[in-house]
Amino acid sequence: MKILRRVVLIFIIVVGLALAAGLWKVNRLANAHLSIQQDTYFTVASGTRRIALAQQLYKARLIRQPRVFQWLLYLHPGLTNFKAGTYRLTPKMRVADMMTLFASGKEAQFPMRFIEGMRLSDWLKQLRASPWIKHTLSDDSYATVAKSLQWDDSSPLEGWFWPDTWLYTAGTSDVSLLKRAHRRMVNAVNDEWNARDKNLPYKDKNALLTMASIIEKETAVAVERDRVASVFINRLRTGMRLQTDPTVIYGLGDNYTGRLTRRDLETPTPYNTYIISGMPPGPIAIPGLASLRAAAHPAKTAFLYFVADGKGGHTFNTNLRDHNRAVRDYLQTLRDKNEQ
């Protein structure tokens, strides 16, 4: 009996030591920091089980002991409720923290910055270059985008997207992001249209957005936007042509070489405001809220002309004589800068 008791005692001790050693390994793994030196993205695929996850984490060199990791999940079942998605892991994160993140379902958020003044074609290139976007558009033509958005308006699609930093999770489709930006711009245009000053020479919301896009391309100086708007509004009211270079550049498309020539100004396009009267058929860029509000609430001025002053802003004038003098001053400023 004494021998049997000793054997049982030894067995209990051995098992106890083994369990203690196992628990120590599990706790050490749970509190171990991930083997990464910088932020890393890891995707938990839909339907992934514990064994498969352990092997994937080991293959990605995020953990060192896949078998011990499985025991961690057995002992802490709350960590096994991991959800499919792409997650951002940080160097200071522990293995237990990682599993808690997987269980939370809080996927990594990726930024897509759509900047005012850009064209829709620029945004489409950004979307196409993003590895985390689900690409569903067959090509980047405006016709394809319009069809995907079920755009049934007769006005051009350019400009009808809200500039912002849009956050999305991995696998979000390109069309989904465009729809969000489009809805936001439609709402903003509706708001500004309803609150616009009376008797503005806009026949519809597209004209308001078109004016906002021209203002966006003409000046980046916030305090000037309503004055720039006033120049174009005054021209429309008096029957003068808008004669704005950004519309000419837009109309030239890929034929624009980076420098406008006299030939360019004489080339007929629907957007050449040196040739056409009134507004071009649609926006030439994506405007921000400030330009949209300037188009809806232009300053009350008699200005008919403006030209760059060489210092980042513009000089505004009511008559051609003073405008020509301002142009000469601007050209002299450029010459002085080139001689320095």
Side-chain angles (χ1 to χ4, degrees):
M1 290 294 293
K2 291 183 178 180
I3 296 175
L4 180 59
R5 289 177 180 175
R6 288 180 180 178
V7 171
V8 172
L9 181 60
I10 292 172
F11 176 77
I12 293 174
I13 293 173
V14 170
V15 171
L17 291 174
L19 288 174
L23 288 173
W24 179 79
K25 288 183 178 180
V26 167
N27 288 330
R28 186 178 68 170
L29 175 64
N31 291 295
H33 289 93
L34 300 181
S35 303
I36 54 177
Q37 301 300 318
Q38 58 186 8
D39 286 6
T40 301
Y41 296 101
F42 183 83
T43 299
V44 178
S46 179
T48 299
R49 301 291 183 179
R50 288 181 295 185
I51 295 176
L53 180 60
Q55 292 301 322
Q56 291 170 13
L57 292 171
Y58 178 69
K59 187 176 181 180
R61 297 183 179 180
L62 292 170
I63 61 172
R64 294 190 177 92
Q65 299 170 300
R67 290 186 179 180
V68 177
F69 176 79
Q70 292 179 38
W71 277 107
L72 170 64
L73 299 186
Y74 278 118
L75 293 172
H76 299 278
L79 299 178
T80 63
N81 298 321
F82 41 84
K83 299 176 177 63
T86 297
Y87 300 89
R88 179 183 284 110
L89 307 178
T90 62
K92 294 183 179 181
M93 187 176 285
R94 301 175 306 147
V95 171
D97 298 329
M98 174 182 67
M99 295 310 301
T100 300
L101 177 63
F102 291 170
S104 73
K106 295 179 180 178
E107 294 186 62
Q109 296 281 322
F110 299 94
M112 178 65 68
R113 189 182 180 197
F114 291 156
I115 302 173
E116 53 265 69
M118 296 175 69
R119 299 180 183 179
L120 175 58
S121 58
D122 298 319
W123 287 17
L124 293 173
K125 290 176 183 177
Q126 285 184 237
L127 287 169
R128 187 68 66 182
S130 173
W132 300 107
I133 289 289
K134 181 180 179 182
H135 304 290
T136 62
L137 293 170
S138 58
D139 57 60
D140 292 343
S141 69
Y142 283 19
T144 298
V145 176
K147 184 178 180 180
S148 69
L149 296 178
Q150 298 179 330
W151 179 256
D152 56 2
D153 198 305
S154 61
S155 60
L157 191 61
E158 186 75 86
W160 284 95
F161 299 87
W162 187 257
D164 204 345
T165 298
W166 297 93
L167 297 178
Y168 65 94
T169 56
T172 298
S173 73
D174 42 16
V175 172
S176 176
L177 267 180
L178 289 173
K179 283 183 176 179
R180 288 166 60 189
H182 175 59
R183 285 193 297 268
R184 179 80 180 275
M185 180 58 86
V186 169
N187 291 336
V189 171
N190 287 340
D191 290 343
E192 295 306 321
W193 176 260
N194 292 332
R196 72 190 187 282
D197 292 349
K198 295 180 179 179
N199 301 319
L200 292 177
Y202 303 136
K203 65 178 182 179
D204 53 27
K205 297 173 186 177
N206 180 66
L208 173 67
L209 185 62
T210 299
M211 180 61 77
S213 72
I214 295 173
I215 297 168
E216 188 69 50
K217 297 299 290 185
E218 282 287 6
T219 183
V221 181
V223 296
E224 285 189 352
R225 288 192 175 100
D226 61 345
R227 276 180 284 167
V228 170
S230 75
V231 170
F232 293 129
I233 293 298
N234 292 339
R235 284 186 166 230
L236 288 173
R237 283 172 171 162
T238 58
M240 293 178 64
R241 289 174 176 165
L242 296 185
Q243 294 184 322
T244 169
D245 291 354
T247 62
V248 180
I249 293 171
Y250 186 85
L252 290 172
D254 294 336
N255 293 323
Y256 177 58
T257 61
R259 183 170 178 268
L260 276 180
T261 64
R262 180 175 294 277
R263 183 178 180 180
D264 293 333
L265 298 179
E266 296 172 350
T267 299
T269 76
Y271 289 85
N272 189 339
T273 52
Y274 283 83
I275 295 177
I276 67 169
S277 298
M279 298 278 286
I284 60 172
I286 296 164
L289 180 59
S291 294
L292 197 58
R293 285 182 173 169
H297 307 284
K300 305 297 190 292
T301 75
F303 295 139
L304 291 171
Y305 305 90
F306 67 93
V307 66
D309 59 11
K311 302 175 183 178
H314 293 83
T315 299
F316 295 81
N317 283 293
T318 60
N319 61 79
L320 185 59
R321 183 187 62 187
D322 290 342
H323 173 65
N324 287 336
R325 183 183 299 114
V327 171
R328 290 193 296 272
D329 291 342
Y330 170 63
L331 294 175
Q332 183 60 50
T333 299
L334 290 183
R335 286 191 291 268
D336 292 342
K337 286 184 178 180
N338 291 332
E339 292 174 359
Q340 291 179 357

